[in-house]
Amino acid sequence: MSATPSEGVIKFKYNLKWTAPLEESSYIKIEKWRTILFKMNFIGEYLTEQVGYGNLSCRQNQTGNSFIITGTQTGKHPNLDGSQYTKVQKCDLAKMSVDAIGPIAPSSESLTHFAIYKESPQINCVFHVHHPDLWRYMLDHDYDQTPENIDYGTHEMAAAAKICIGNKKKGIFVMAGHQDGIIAYASSAEEAGKVILDTLKESKTN
């Protein structure tokens, strides 16, 4: 299981074409949910290690796998603007490489987001959050999960995520080898956010 201090460290090679901040229209739907999830401590920063956690993305259009994602190490901010989002244009899972365009390097989980989008054209939003209580609940109640020996931000994690979603268009899984890590996915930001909140509600009633 990965130790907390390694959170947020980019493990892939990336090429970033620097641009001006992104237009609000490209990220406003996920920013709404990011604000909610930040207030609920699903997104934030581990204060001792000063490393952020949690990243959200949405597919840019229905005809490709490019997507808008929160930038690396932005977890500590309660609100983000266009200077803290970036666009991932292409990923190569085998080469562990990411091509992005924007004002900030992409999240350390960009490969996993890409793998999910590539696996299912019906999935348009991916929310990666952290919550220790919900993480333990999901592990204890046999939710879909990635293997404990697979760390975040790797080719192996991307492959494991694809197995977790299978043919599902909406759902949630727990990252057994990534402390507190949970991923929800759906066709829209509203649905992805609701999956998280519904699972949290279920955990509190069981």
Side-chain angles (χ1 to χ4, degrees), residues 54-70:
N55 40 79
L56 278 60
S57 74
C58 272
R59 193 192 298 267
Q60 190 175 38
N61 55 62
Q62 299 293 324
T63 59
N65 295 322
S66 63
F67 54 93
I68 303 297
I69 193 167
T70 49

Side-chain angles (χ1 to χ4, degrees), residues 30 55-68 110-128 144 158 160-173 183-193 195:
I30 45 177
N55 40 79
L56 278 60
S57 74
C58 272
R59 193 192 298 267
Q60 190 175 38
N61 55 62
Q62 299 293 324
T63 59
N65 295 322
S66 63
F67 54 93
I68 303 297
S110 292
L111 287 178
T112 302
H113 289 245
F114 171 78
I116 294 172
Y117 291 131
K118 185 178 181 182
E119 184 70 9
S120 175
Q122 288 80 31
I123 295 172
N124 295 314
C125 286
V126 176
F127 291 1
H128 171 210
D144 291 335
K162 291 168 64 175
I163 294 172
C164 282
I165 67 170
N167 295 319
K168 296 186 288 293
K169 300 176 183 178
K170 178 175 70 174
I172 192 169
F173 63 87
I183 286 185
Y185 54 91
S187 62
S188 69
E190 293 295 322
E191 286 187 321
V195 167

